[in-house]
Amino acid sequence: MSGGVVKAEEGPLALFGTSADPPTRGHQILLEGLVQAYPEVATWASDNPLKQHGASLEQRSALLGQLVAAIGNPRLSHRQELSSPWAISTLQRAAAAWPGRELVFVVGSDLAPQIPCWKQAEAVLDRCVLAIAPRAGWPLQPGCLEQLEGLGGRVVILGLEVPASASSALRQNPDPSQIPASLLPLLLEHNLYGLGDPSLPLPPTRHSTSHSTSP
């Protein structure tokens, strides 16, 4: 990379930003699925202007970076410089870093109905393909796709399902079984999200498997 600009390559680039508050097994499954569907995936931790966060952005970025390292797939990179509360800013940064690349902006089905209310929503949809990842427990609302397409969106539904594990639920009721095993040492060390409680049962350590098969 020279001057922050990545040489354009063939194939779309999947972009997945998340509050990562904390990263869950659902985040891991989604990232592992994305590297099977796209030649390159970039992820980062961000502040959600509609949420209060349980850890600092720096801590959440470190947790997500640890998860990316544990997945260990060369197609997947942690690109914290893309982080912004606003999707339009992230897409502008990605377009500058990957000139000429098709950008695929990934969201969960729970967020899809909010997109028309995002800052410069039409400009966001004009700059990318919107890829919706179905989340268990959050089916797409009737008319959601039509509304997004009416704003000019090019929408695809990803052929995978993310489990119902939610960061918000984990913040209220810590459950180590819903946390990727690679993150537990960091969470315990810094006593984040109540996971430093010695009364909580810890799951057996599992090694993440990487995927490098071409889509």
Side-chain angles (χ1 to χ4, degrees), residues 122-143:
E122 292 189 22
V124 167
L125 294 170
D126 182 61
R127 286 176 173 265
C128 66
V129 173
L130 181 68
I132 298 176
R135 287 189 66 188
W138 282 275
L140 279 176
Q141 297 180 5

Side-chain angles (χ1 to χ4, degrees), residues 97-177:
W98 287 273
R101 197 78 173 269
E102 180 181 45
L103 304 178
V104 179
F105 199 83
V106 180
V107 300
S109 55
D110 55 317
L111 291 182
Q114 301 176 15
I115 293 174
C117 298
W118 283 5
K119 180 180 180 181
Q120 299 183 41
E122 292 189 22
V124 167
L125 294 170
D126 182 61
R127 286 176 173 265
C128 66
V129 173
L130 181 68
I132 298 176
R135 287 189 66 188
W138 282 275
L140 279 176
Q141 297 180 5
C144 179
L145 290 181
E146 290 78 2
Q147 185 179 20
L148 293 169
E149 290 170 348
L151 292 172
R154 294 164 290 160
V155 184
V156 297
I157 307 298
L158 295 175
L160 56 92
E161 183 172 288
V162 180
S165 57
S167 297
S168 57
L170 281 171
R171 292 195 300 272
Q172 296 174 4
N173 297 293
D175 180 359
S177 70

